[in-house]
Amino acid sequence: MVHPRETLKSAILSNASSILMVHNHVSGKLEPSEEDIKITDRMSQICSLLGIGLTDHVIVGPVNEYFSFREAKRMPIPNIQYRYRLYLLKF
């Protein structure tokens, strides 16, 4: 199990501009599970809010095999858009 708070803690403390998620499937099956898809989507949304890019989510398999969400064009694209406003307060 992965929790976004714990995953992003070091990224925030390091002032990272982007992160790459990587994990392995001990079964050797490279197809992403439903949980893999859900956490990728959630991390993508949270990273977008924090201004940290999610470069890719890679599942590593046996003998130099891997699955890349980015290469498979399965990276979630956040539909969240914000307009930043600067407010100057005079005291």
Side-chain angles (χ1 to χ4, degrees):
M1 289 299 293
V2 61
H3 194 284
R5 177 183 60 237
E6 298 303 320
T7 305
L8 291 170
K9 180 179 179 180
S10 17
I12 292 167
L13 292 174
S14 302
N15 292 322
S17 60
S18 63
I19 64 168
L20 172 69
M21 293 173 50
V22 180
H23 78 280
N24 69 324
H25 283 179
V26 292
S27 67
K29 296 179 182 179
L30 294 178
E31 188 63 29
S33 67
E34 186 177 327
E35 287 301 316
D36 292 334
I37 295 166
K38 285 180 183 178
I39 193 62
T40 304
D41 184 52
R42 186 169 184 202
M43 287 295 291
S44 177
Q45 291 176 19
I46 294 170
C47 284
S48 177
L49 287 171
L50 294 174
I52 298 173
L54 178 57
T55 305
D56 200 350
H57 181 179
V58 178
I59 301 170
V60 180
V63 194
N64 297 325
E65 294 177 351
Y66 69 93
F67 176 89
S68 163
F69 276 76
R70 173 90 44 209
E71 288 178 6
K73 299 185 186 327
R74 292 179 64 180
M75 283 293 293
I77 300 171
N79 58 1
I80 304 169
Q81 293 182 346
Y82 294 98
R83 293 186 181 177
Y84 297 96
R85 294 184 182 173
L86 178 62
Y87 293 99
L88 298 175
L89 302 174
K90 293 184 181 181
F91 293 94

